[in-house]
Amino acid sequence: MPDTAVAEAPAKAASGGNILQVRNLEAWYGESHILHGINFDVNAGEVVTLLGRNGAGKTTTLKSIMGIIGRRTGSVKFNNQEIIRATSDKIARMGIAFCPEERGIFASLDVRENLLLPPVVREGGLPLEQIFDLFPNLKERLNSQGTKLSGGEQQMLAIARILRTGASFLMLDEPTEGLAPVIIQQIGHTIARLKKEGFTILLVEQNFRFASTVADRYYVVEHGKIIDGFSNAELAANMDKLHTYLGV
Amino acid sequence: MQALYAQLLVGLINGSFYALLSLGLAVIFGMLNIINFAHGALYMMGAFVAYFLLNLGGINYWWALLLAPIIVGIFGMILERTMLQWLTGLDHLYGLLLTFGIALIVQGVFQNYFGSSGLPYAIPDQLKGGMNLGFMFLPIYRGWVVVFSLVVCLATWFLIEKTRLGAYLRAATENPTLVRAFGINVPRMITLTYGLGVGLAALAGVLSAPINQVRPLMGADLIIVVFAVVVIGGMGSIMGSIITGFALGVIEGLTKYFYPEASNTVVFVLMVLVLLVKPTGLTGRAA
């Protein structure tokens, strides 16, 4: 299997400036050692996807970057600033936004309150009109309780609310999980549009067919390590390997 | 008939204290997940701070209404920062035991210096006297307590249910980790929320001082009933605490008129009935 140095190679070929640099990232849940030295980079304006089986450490990687995991070591640099010791609220205020796998819609808040909950951390966030243009369903459901929305609408709300904040780096954890194909397609269009708007996106996905429609590059995570990495152009050539990695 | 109205008024006044105290408990439980047994002691501290302000600093009742909640609220925030914050993620029992211990210590210290008998606190001149309503005589101070408590309760409800800050509080009650990952300083918000809940208790203490005198055990006498109110209303429910607080005060007052022997137990009988029929309380949500 390729080592992490190989996995980093495609990043250097990408055009945008380096926005996120992860080196030797290790993380623990209590006594369980989950990440064993993750290394990768994300360049500005890219969509980078972390692929891997269940339990490989993809979500933990995102949570570690976001500062949600209690014990983590190594180095995470965002815009050349070290954030490994920063608390999650400070990391968010630096311009990183996280959309969790379970969507995190608040039952005690209506759709409007859910949408307006994350504070604006910097200029450049999408105005509400543009968000409703991306997700017209939300405009019609503004007064509904957040958790009364369908799964697809909840996912849209979860993405929509972080677009307001001005964060330029979005981390989306399995945004297509459990959704109907037509909604998955809509999420795909949204991600493509966000990329055009200049957002940098780090995506966690098990559905690499979906990921292939939006991603510029891929990293494969296994047992808490990055074991491979390639660009979208190299995807076809790596298909067999990918099937083996993902067990599909 | 006059006696009935008098008991109704007493019920409304007790209900005001129940509502203010249970509201503070509900806010603290909702946000910190802590059953704050120190609430009665902090209510007592509110009354004592008003007493000290008046007798040592010459600061009158009106200023005490503002200053005592702030001073006791700051004391509460220090408690939260130094002790309660370490209970995050632990069983409710730890919070209950710790706050019960704090209550015993605070009450013990005050009892040591001031004994068990009450210290007088005069009704402010502007609120002395009463009004004849035709069907009953209404002491102005008591009417003030009911109206002011209601206004404070509704303002707190508005703050939590209808404002952006309240949305942060409600969201952080559900998922503090995610709210923090949105850029909100949740630990600071928790400290301020505890301060707010404690401030409400202290405010009730100041309101109570001219009626019930200032006594080290004034909170201990009340807190068990207030917990019953919170359980009946639904743990963590803001509006539930307010409505149940006033309603149970009135029910207690009516029981004093119709069947005085049951007046001390009616709240607990109701609590048992509510727990049997709706264990989450009248307005509480299932966990």
Side-chain angles (χ1 to χ4, degrees):
Chain A
M1 278 185 186
D3 62 14
T4 51
V6 176
E8 283 170 40
K12 287 166 191 157
S15 55
N18 195 256
I19 192 168
L20 184 82
Q21 203 177 57
V22 179
R23 293 288 176 272
N24 299 318
L25 179 62
E26 299 196 31
W28 290 259
Y29 283 120
E31 295 298 309
S32 303
H33 193 174
I34 308 296
L35 300 184
H36 299 270
I38 293 270
N39 295 283
F40 69 97
D41 297 290
V42 179
N43 297 311
E46 278 188 313
V47 176
V48 171
T49 301
L50 300 181
L51 298 168
R53 299 185 201 212
N54 266 342
K58 308 182 297 294
T59 295
T60 307
T61 303
L62 294 197
K63 287 185 173 175
S64 300
I65 294 168
M66 198 66 230
I68 291 173
I69 302 288
R71 189 174 161 211
R72 57 199 190 279
T73 61
S75 166
V76 177
K77 282 186 180 168
F78 179 66
N79 283 331
N80 289 322
Q81 268 188 286
E82 183 59 68
I83 59 171
I84 190 74
R85 291 191 205 291
T87 53
S88 56
D89 53 312
K90 282 193 183 137
I91 291 171
R93 289 188 174 276
M94 292 170 86
I96 300 182
F98 175 51
C99 177
E101 185 180 2
E102 69 282 1
R103 294 165 192 143
I105 302 302
F106 297 99
S108 59
L109 273 56
D110 62 24
V111 171
R112 186 193 308 272
E113 287 174 320
N114 266 288
L115 190 57
L116 299 178
L117 186 75
V120 172
V121 294
R122 52 184 57 210
E123 286 179 8
L126 296 191
L128 278 180
E129 303 82 61
Q130 214 172 328
I131 288 175
F132 292 140
D133 188 33
L134 277 170
F135 305 110
N137 297 29
L138 296 182
K139 195 173 184 179
E140 295 158 17
R141 307 289 308 266
L142 274 178
N143 295 317
S144 305
Q145 190 190 339
T147 45
K148 295 275 190 241
L149 301 183
S150 69
E153 287 171 330
Q154 287 193 28
Q155 186 60 63
M156 291 172 197
L157 177 57
I159 296 175
R161 68 182 170 191
I162 59 174
L163 301 180
R164 271 185 59 252
T165 63
S168 56
F169 183 71
L170 312 180
M171 298 198 292
L172 310 180
D173 194 356
E174 307 225 18
T176 65
E177 197 192 17
L179 300 182
V182 64
I183 307 288
I184 293 178
Q185 210 176 13
Q186 199 180 342
I187 302 277
H189 290 319
T190 304
I191 293 174
R193 196 161 149 192
L194 292 175
K195 189 186 163 194
K196 263 192 202 154
E197 301 261 358
F199 285 94
T200 306
I201 298 172
L202 178 58
L203 189 67
V204 157
E205 261 304 332
Q206 288 201 59
N207 179 352
F208 73 83
R209 284 182 188 84
F210 165 77
S212 68
T213 63
V214 292
D216 294 304
R217 293 187 297 116
Y218 307 87
Y219 289 105
V220 181
V221 185
E222 196 169 282
H223 301 308
K225 278 187 171 179
I226 300 279
I227 57 161
D228 205 349
F230 42 84
S231 69
N232 203 30
E234 297 163 326
L235 180 65
N238 284 281
M239 237 14 185
D240 288 343
K241 251 192 325 182
L242 202 53
H243 280 123
T244 311
Y245 290 145
L246 302 180
V248 290
Chain B
M1 211 55 186
Q2 284 241 343
L4 174 64
Y5 291 130
Q7 284 307 333
L8 261 178
L9 180 63
V10 169
L12 272 175
I13 290 165
N14 284 340
S16 305
F17 298 132
Y18 296 162
L20 277 175
L21 286 167
S22 61
L23 179 61
L25 278 179
V27 169
I28 290 169
F29 180 79
M31 186 77 196
L32 286 81
N33 235 356
I34 283 177
I35 300 168
N36 188 32
F37 238 90
H39 219 61
L42 296 162
Y43 158 80
M44 174 268 290
M45 279 181 76
F48 265 97
V49 169
Y51 176 83
F52 293 142
L53 286 173
L54 184 65
N55 290 290
L56 302 179
I59 296 168
N60 68 22
Y61 172 84
W62 302 104
W63 279 105
L65 275 181
L66 177 71
L67 293 175
I70 292 174
I71 293 167
V72 181
I74 290 170
F75 175 74
M77 287 192 274
I78 293 170
L79 282 183
E80 195 280 331
R81 279 285 89 190
T82 53
M83 291 186 233
L84 299 177
Q85 68 152 326
W86 306 110
L87 302 177
T88 308
L90 296 180
D91 192 272
H92 290 311
L93 193 60
Y94 291 93
L96 195 148
L97 285 173
L98 176 62
T99 54
F100 187 56
I102 291 170
L104 289 179
I105 292 169
V106 171
Q107 282 164 193
V109 167
F110 276 83
Q111 218 173 351
N112 186 47
Y113 287 102
F114 300 98
S116 293
S117 57
L119 300 165
Y121 190 94
I123 292 174
D125 292 340
Q126 299 87 337
L127 299 174
K128 279 183 177 157
M131 277 189 296
N132 192 345
L133 301 177
F135 57 92
M136 68 174 290
F137 182 79
L138 174 70
I140 291 174
Y141 186 77
R142 295 181 180 232
W144 153 257
V145 168
V146 174
V147 172
F148 185 66
S149 302
L150 196 59
V151 169
V152 171
C153 285
L154 291 177
T156 309
W157 171 82
F158 185 84
L159 173 77
I160 291 170
E161 297 293 337
K162 299 291 170 192
T163 66
R164 172 70 70 92
L165 177 66
Y168 290 156
L169 288 173
R170 282 177 284 139
T173 302
E174 281 185 52
N175 189 343
T177 307
L178 184 58
V179 171
R180 194 167 190 194
F182 285 155
I184 297 161
N185 190 334
V186 173
R188 188 195 296 159
M189 200 163 71
I190 288 176
T191 306
L192 290 172
T193 305
Y194 191 75
L196 170 72
V198 166
L200 286 170
L203 183 69
V206 180
L207 288 172
S208 162
I211 298 177
N212 298 318
Q213 296 200 319
V214 181
R215 292 178 296 114
L217 295 180
M218 62 193 283
D221 298 342
L222 202 60
I223 196 69
I224 301 296
V225 180
V226 173
F227 268 109
V229 171
V230 173
V231 171
I232 293 170
M235 293 295 271
S237 163
I238 304 300
M239 193 45 101
S241 297
I242 298 170
I243 293 171
T244 317
F246 278 100
L248 286 183
V250 170
I251 289 170
E252 210 178 43
L254 290 176
T255 313
K256 269 182 197 152
Y257 179 78
F258 289 108
Y259 190 56
E261 295 85 347
S263 62
N264 287 334
T265 50
V266 64
V267 171
F268 302 103
V269 172
L270 281 171
M271 183 181 80
V272 171
L273 289 175
V274 168
L275 284 177
L276 284 172
V277 178
K278 198 165 184 289
T280 54
L282 293 177
T283 56
R285 282 188 295 264

